Structures are given as C-alpha cells and as structure tokens.
Amino acid sequence: MNQLIKFLNENPVQYVATVGTDNKAKVRPFQFMLEDSGKLWFCTSNQKTVYSEMKTNPYIEICTSTPEFAWMRLSGKVVFENNIEIKEKILSAAPLVKNIYQQADNPVFEVFYLEEAKATIADFSGNPPKEYSL
C-alpha cells in the first residue's frame, strides 16, 4: 500500500476513466486525496457529470505516470460515503478542495473510495509489472 500511495502522491494528476451517460468512454483529470484505514480516498461534486456516471456504473479505472514513463493503473468499484471525518481531513490537506467546498458539510461535496481495488505499477524496463490487491 505504501508504494501505491507514494506513486499517487508523487504523480498528482491522475486520469479517471468512466462509462459516460452516453455509454461511451470518458476520461478526466482527478487527484488522489488520502489513505485512511486501508482505503484510497478521492472526492468530487455531486453536481458534476462524473458523479452521475459513477453512480450509474461504479467501476472506474485510474491511470497516472511518472516523467520516466513508469505508470500505475488502479481500478475498482466506487463507494460513496458521507464521511464527515474524511471530508475534514481532505479539506485540511488539500487547499484547492478547501477553496472549492469550504466546509465538510457542503451538500455538493462527495467523497469516495475504491472497493475491490487492484493496482498495477509497470514501466519499460522489461521487469514484470507489480500487482496489488487492496
């Protein structure tokens, strides 16, 4: 888990793939927020299209890469949770998110983690990819 968190933190722009409401692939930038109790947490607004896409089809894949062309793929089932403690931790750790949502009880502020998560870290070294189940 530590290697995954380190990779996500060192490569802060991740791309999330969902199935759009038009049944076509959609990809957009996201950012990992934090790890808590073995869960990788992210956030979004329930006013965004990505929120409705994840509610309709909760299986997503996240991808990020290093400047040296190593990459991580992380997939799983999105679980939204109205967790005020996690929201407060995110607001404390992420000034951009704090600027957008201001308070943990903001009704549009949603947090989620990935259930049944699997990750792969790979590169072009010829070494086999490292696989993780969370």
Side-chain angles (χ1 to χ4, degrees):
M1 175 75 83
N2 289 339
Q3 188 172 9
L4 300 178
I5 294 164
K6 182 176 187 273
F7 201 101
L8 289 166
N9 284 329
E10 288 177 354
N11 303 285
V13 178
Q14 295 103 38
Y15 294 91
V16 172
T18 61
V19 174
T21 54
D22 60 0
N23 239 13
K24 296 180 181 173
K26 306 295 179 202
V27 178
R28 79 269 294 151
F30 251 73
Q31 185 175 5
F32 166 68
M33 291 291 116
L34 58 91
E35 180 275 333
D36 189 272
S37 302
K39 296 175 182 173
L40 303 177
W41 290 90
F42 300 84
C43 66
T44 192
S45 164
N46 60 26
Q47 304 299 299
K48 292 183 177 180
T49 304
V50 69
Y51 175 80
S52 23
E53 291 169 355
M54 290 189 286
K55 291 293 278 187
T56 301
N57 184 341
Y59 292 93
I60 66 169
E61 186 160 90
I62 299 169
C63 187
T64 190
S65 63
T66 70
E68 298 78 30
F69 304 108
W71 66 91
M72 174 197 283
R73 291 174 54 204
L74 173 64
S75 63
K77 181 179 180 183
V78 169
V79 177
F80 286 100
E81 188 174 292
N82 188 21
N83 187 320
I84 295 296
E85 182 181 329
I86 293 296
K87 289 179 179 183
E88 288 172 353
K89 286 180 181 181
I90 289 172
L91 293 175
S92 294
L96 176 63
V97 176
K98 172 81 172 168
N99 187 48
I100 294 168
Y101 300 109
Q102 285 140 28
Q103 299 183 125
D105 62 354
N106 184 326
V108 302
F109 183 29
E110 301 285 346
V111 295
F112 65 93
Y113 64 90
L114 295 181
E115 185 176 78
E116 305 167 20
K118 295 183 185 227
T120 302
I121 297 177
D123 58 33
F124 291 109
S125 67
N127 294 323
K130 296 176 185 165
E131 297 186 357
Y132 306 85
S133 291
L134 310 174

